[in-house]
Amino acid sequence: MSLDEDTRWLEWVTKQFESIAGEDKEIDLEEFKTALKVKESFFAERFFALFDSDGSSTISLDELLKALDLLIHGSETDKLKFLFQVYDLVKLHRGFDRLGLLWLAGSGSIDPDELRTVLKSCLRESAISLPEEKLDDLTMALFESADKDNSGSITFEELKAELETFPEVMENLTISAANWLKPPDLEQKRRQAPRYLTPAYWHNNSRKLLFLCVYACLSLLLFTGAMLQNHHGGAWYMVAKGCGQCLNFNCTFVMVLMLRRCLTWLRATWVVRVLPLDQNVLLHQIVGYAILCYTVLHTTAHVINFVKLSERTDYRLWEYLLTTRPGIGWVKGTASVTGVVLQVMICLMVLCSSTFVRRSGHFEVFYWSHLSYVWVWSLLVVHCANFWKWFVVPGLLFILEKIVGIAVSHMGGLYIVEVNLLPSKVTHLVIKRPQFFHFKPGDYIYINIPDIAKYEWHPFTISSAPEQSDTLWLHIRSMGQWTNRLFEYFRQPESPAVSPKRLATSLRNRSVYMYSVCQCYVDGPYGTPTRQIFASEHAVLIGAGIGITPFASILQSIMYRYRRRKQNCPNCNYSWCENIKDSEMKLRKVDFIWINRDQKSFEWFVSLLTKLEMDQADEEPEGRFLEMHMYMTSALSKNDMKAIGLQMALDLLAKKEKRDSITGLRTRTQPGRPEWGKVFQKVSEEKKGKVHVFYCGSPALAKVIKAQCEHFGFNFYKENF
């Protein structure tokens, strides 16, 4: 860094130190642990001992700066010496090198017991749970690889040589978990245009932006036309009528956007290339907020008109608003009363459909409040003389969809035949699939289980493949009242509604229940953006947590079709895949990325992913057809000093056993979060055709991935989660 940057960095570190240290301007061990935010005190104590150069049991600013200078500005050798001292657990002897930096001399070597102790702490720090036998295997894998001379101990030179075989570790060797130890980003960021003004954004969102422009122009046209037709009533009367006309349109259009069966049918036509059908929920929300704005402005304009009328007539303001005496309205003067009720109901609907309500475990509040749309439409017919003209055609379609949905949901008896309760509070339902039920990979259904809640219907993505003809799978994570009741219902052995023929077993902390009778109803299936996957050439599937469920169905379906291309030698076990053009599937490459916070979450679909790995051919004309990428965000990255040894050991053992120690897959689970720039750069360089990225997970991560897709020119599809 330059002199100015050094000065700024020094000021920043000093400020951070002062915020952590007490009045004595020293940091003791407990303050150090708190600041470092480590799960395992082992590393905090080791780092503290190395930083405390004078042995005073506290760290001064000068001691901290010397240690930081070593970790950030020091050479690779300096950093490796520091790491070696962390691993060398023999009592340390203090001293200083020629540069004045702290040097603590231990035994000068690392034996297997010391390495095992460190790796055990690394596992705890990364929230990874492995049996003791696996810890022994990890210890020996790393020890045998590093102990080049078979002396029974690892010297500094041997550790350095071993680390140099992992170049990604050496790129940024630091204690990355300690945010306050990181230097600030002193590089001047280039000023860039806002993302929404970039050509890439406009290109990748052209359908949505065009649709919104047409919607805005139509709304402006309706508003202006209604105002001009009522110019005789004054300015506020014109505003009220303009908003009223826009409400006629929006209160029917908001329903059109949720005609799921019609939208599912349209997804199979050319219309999907013109209209943003995959973003119907987002557009539904936009129209909902527009309705709220129009109703508030409409009501405000009428109140102002009523204030003026009350000054010229015998009726008071409250009579205009809350009674039928003035006779305003085409149904016995009820326009004002119904208007007040409508204003309250619409405000409550918008409030109860807010994200903080839906995602705070109170989905039922959103569900039941949204059902008041029936009363809103009924009151609108009474409130406005012309609303029925706007409503009649969409309303008939809506009623027809509901009738079809009720008929489909009650055709034949559906029964839950198996339930798997996973340790991460995920309920895996296996439903006997009726012959008439046909769906596509990634579709979702609404399910009703009378024993859980008689009148409630909830949407969930189907996690089984269409080619699996006998059963239907759902994976349901316990996040709200209904899903928690579902999990607890099947966990309680004394539940009176459950058949006594239930068998319970335990497999890897998993409860498996077999039922002879547990009735349910389903409505659907309904299409999602993932229906576009088979028209892609290079598909990137990204699932975050339980967001893997649509991709479970898709991956199974892909592999069913893939097996048609797979050829096997009759004389041996060798297999290969022919590059056959398939009108049903244009895919040349699939990258599957699954991001989980903890180790338990991988149990949801590990058995399925293992089978998919085994199904792949030994030789393929264009390289590996399906590549899996697993990430565990709670695990510390490879360049973190608290995880270097563990990640090296996991890599070495995975190469030796040809499977990952965390998941059991051939694919190695990577620590931390994906570096999306590097991931998409690699995808772009493969040149397997047009890249389509499909995502299901949290909205926050969706924004990050979408921005990267715009940068690389990839098409982005997001399933509402």
Side-chain angles (χ1 to χ4, degrees), residues 434-576:
Q435 293 182 351
F436 67 85
F437 190 88
H438 303 287
F439 67 98
K440 293 186 180 297
D443 284 359
Y444 69 97
I445 60 172
Y446 280 80
I447 186 170
N448 167 251
I449 304 176
D451 290 343
I452 306 299
K454 190 173 183 179
Y455 300 107
E456 291 187 25
W457 292 78
H458 294 269
F460 297 102
T461 303
I462 301 170
S463 54
S464 54
E467 293 82 357
Q468 188 176 326
S469 58
D470 54 342
T471 57
L472 198 68
W473 291 3
L474 297 178
H475 283 77
I476 302 171
R477 185 180 180 185
S478 301
M479 296 182 66
Q481 295 177 12
W482 188 90
T483 53
N484 279 317
R485 286 204 304 269
L486 176 74
F487 187 86
E488 294 300 326
Y489 173 83
F490 287 115
R491 192 171 66 170
Q492 299 299 328
E494 65 277 2
S495 177
V498 176
S499 168
K501 295 182 180 180
R502 182 176 70 181
L503 302 174
T505 62
S506 179
L507 178 62
R508 292 184 64 188
N509 299 323
R510 175 184 303 185
S511 299
V512 182
Y513 299 89
M514 304 295 294
Y515 292 85
S516 59
V517 174
C518 188
Q519 194 170 26
C520 65
Y521 302 96
V522 297
D523 177 23
Y526 298 111
T528 64
T530 52
R531 283 198 173 192
Q532 301 294 318
I533 188 171
F534 293 104
S536 311
E537 292 178 306
H538 189 167
V540 180
L541 313 180
I542 304 174
I546 197 66
I548 188 185
T549 47
F551 303 132
S553 173
I554 290 166
L555 287 171
Q556 290 177 83
S557 187
I558 287 174
M559 295 312 292
Y560 271 114
R561 304 183 191 200
Y562 172 83
R563 290 187 197 110
R564 299 174 191 169
R565 305 178 181 180
K566 186 177 176 181
Q567 306 292 324
N568 293 286
C569 177
N571 299 320
C572 64
N573 294 325
Y574 188 77
S575 61
W576 71 96

Side-chain angles (χ1 to χ4, degrees), residues 206-255:
S206 55
R207 289 181 300 165
K208 181 182 74 173
L209 295 173
L210 179 61
F211 185 86
L212 289 175
C213 286
V214 172
Y215 168 74
C217 292
L218 182 58
S219 298
L220 181 62
L221 185 64
L222 291 171
F223 186 86
T224 305
M227 285 185 67
L228 294 176
Q229 289 178 1
N230 296 275
H231 64 277
H232 58 276
W236 286 108
Y237 185 75
M238 293 168 65
V239 171
K241 287 297 183 179
C243 290
Q245 187 74 319
C246 289
L247 284 168
N248 285 335
F249 166 65
N250 281 275
C251 288
T252 53
F253 186 53
V254 75
M255 170 179 51

Side-chain angles (χ1 to χ4, degrees), residues 120-169:
K120 189 172 185 178
S121 297
C122 289
L123 285 171
R124 292 174 182 169
E125 194 68 37
S126 291
I128 298 174
S129 176
L130 294 176
E132 291 294 320
E133 297 79 10
K134 184 63 70 175
L135 175 59
D136 292 336
D137 292 341
L138 289 170
T139 303
M140 293 313 299
L142 180 55
F143 191 85
E144 290 173 358
S145 178
D147 185 17
K148 307 295 183 182
D149 58 2
N150 297 319
S151 62
S153 62
I154 302 173
T155 63
F156 171 74
E157 289 73 18
E158 288 175 327
L159 179 63
K160 181 180 178 182
E162 183 66 23
L163 280 167
E164 286 173 349
T165 63
F166 293 84
E168 69 275 11
V169 172

